[in-house]
Amino acid sequence: MMNGSSILKKIISCLVAAFTTIALLLVLGNSGTLTWFPPLLVFSLAGLCFVSALIYPFIWHYKEQKQNIDSYKIYSFLNILIRYTIAFNLAAFGWKKIFGLQFIVPPSIADKPMNQQSGEWLTWFYFGYSHTFGLILALIQIVGSYFLLFRKTLLAAAIALFAFMLNLTLINFFYQMNTGALTQSVLLTVGLVYLILLDYQRLRDFFFKSLPNIPTLNIKNTNAKNIIRLSAVVLSFLFTLYLKFFMN
């Protein structure tokens, strides 16, 4: 568990909790279409979350130093809040895909030539082309969100959902999706990075330690090994140049 003596860790934890809560508020606001949850209320609550995340860490730190409060319980609450808000958010988008509330392109847009479409409509049309693929994406979101709520499966779910959300964030940015979608994907990705980094030491040992059980050639010359490794990239590059300039 995080060291309670660090003000920086307190600020980061509170900010991430605020980010994922804001992302959830944006989902509940449903792009301003719900009369009972108007944009003014959505953004007011979002602003309150952000301001609270900036102020509370200092109150928390002061009480910890002066009153010896239990920071473990506060970290635990923030951790649960982050996991729950991410899970709710992603699962909601999964259910939307299943019930046909996403990837809908109006006929007036779909009938236009491709070169007249925006990146957003092209993306929605492409992903909506295969209903089965949409269901697979929904399943990843719903199941991943569910496993995010268990301690034993938290890390595996966070890594899987991070790969999913990073890809989605890049799509939202480079295909010029609306600001709300991009903001949500960025905030959720930040939340997942936070959850993953809670196990940073274990992950570093897992990913960056050599595996003795993997068969390998016994080449003792380090330079020769590096040349062989580099050749996979260089030779594939030269092959591509050959296809580009000599086969067309």
Side-chain angles (χ1 to χ4, degrees), residues 105-193:
V105 180
S108 59
I109 299 295
D111 291 340
K112 292 182 179 180
M114 290 182 63
N115 60 4
Q116 295 181 15
Q117 304 279 10
S118 67
E120 181 170 2
W121 285 122
L122 285 172
T123 303
W124 276 63
F125 185 83
Y126 171 79
F127 280 105
Y129 179 79
S130 172
H131 182 64
T132 302
F133 182 68
L135 291 178
I136 292 173
L137 295 180
L139 187 64
I140 293 172
Q141 289 178 291
I142 295 171
V143 174
S145 297
Y146 180 69
F147 285 125
L148 199 66
L149 302 174
F150 295 89
R151 284 189 295 177
K152 288 185 178 180
T153 54
L154 166 61
L155 184 58
I159 292 174
L161 290 173
F162 168 73
F164 182 94
M165 288 305 303
L166 179 61
N167 180 59
L168 180 59
T169 300
L170 293 175
I171 290 173
N172 287 342
F173 180 78
F174 289 105
Y175 286 81
Q176 301 172 350
M177 305 296 280
N178 65 76
T179 304
L182 176 60
T183 301
Q184 280 186 336
S185 63
V186 170
L187 295 179
L188 293 176
T189 303
V190 169
L192 291 167
V193 169

Side-chain angles (χ1 to χ4, degrees), residues 226-238:
N226 289 332
I227 290 173
I228 293 172
R229 291 163 179 154
L230 186 61
S231 69
V233 177
V234 174
L235 291 178
S236 63
F237 170 71
L238 294 176

Side-chain angles (χ1 to χ4, degrees), residues 50-62:
F50 183 70
V51 172
S52 299
L54 294 177
I55 296 174
Y56 182 69
F58 297 95
I59 299 175
W60 173 8
H61 192 69
Y62 175 80

Side-chain angles (χ1 to χ4, degrees), residues 70-106:
D70 187 357
S71 284
Y72 179 85
K73 291 183 178 179
I74 300 176
Y75 277 125
S76 297
F77 171 78
L78 293 174
N79 183 281
I80 293 170
L81 178 63
I82 292 168
R83 290 158 58 189
Y84 187 86
T85 49
I86 293 175
F88 189 110
N89 198 314
L90 292 180
F93 279 108
W95 292 119
K96 285 181 179 181
K97 291 178 178 65
I98 290 175
F99 289 100
L101 297 177
Q102 277 197 311
F103 303 150
I104 302 172
V105 180

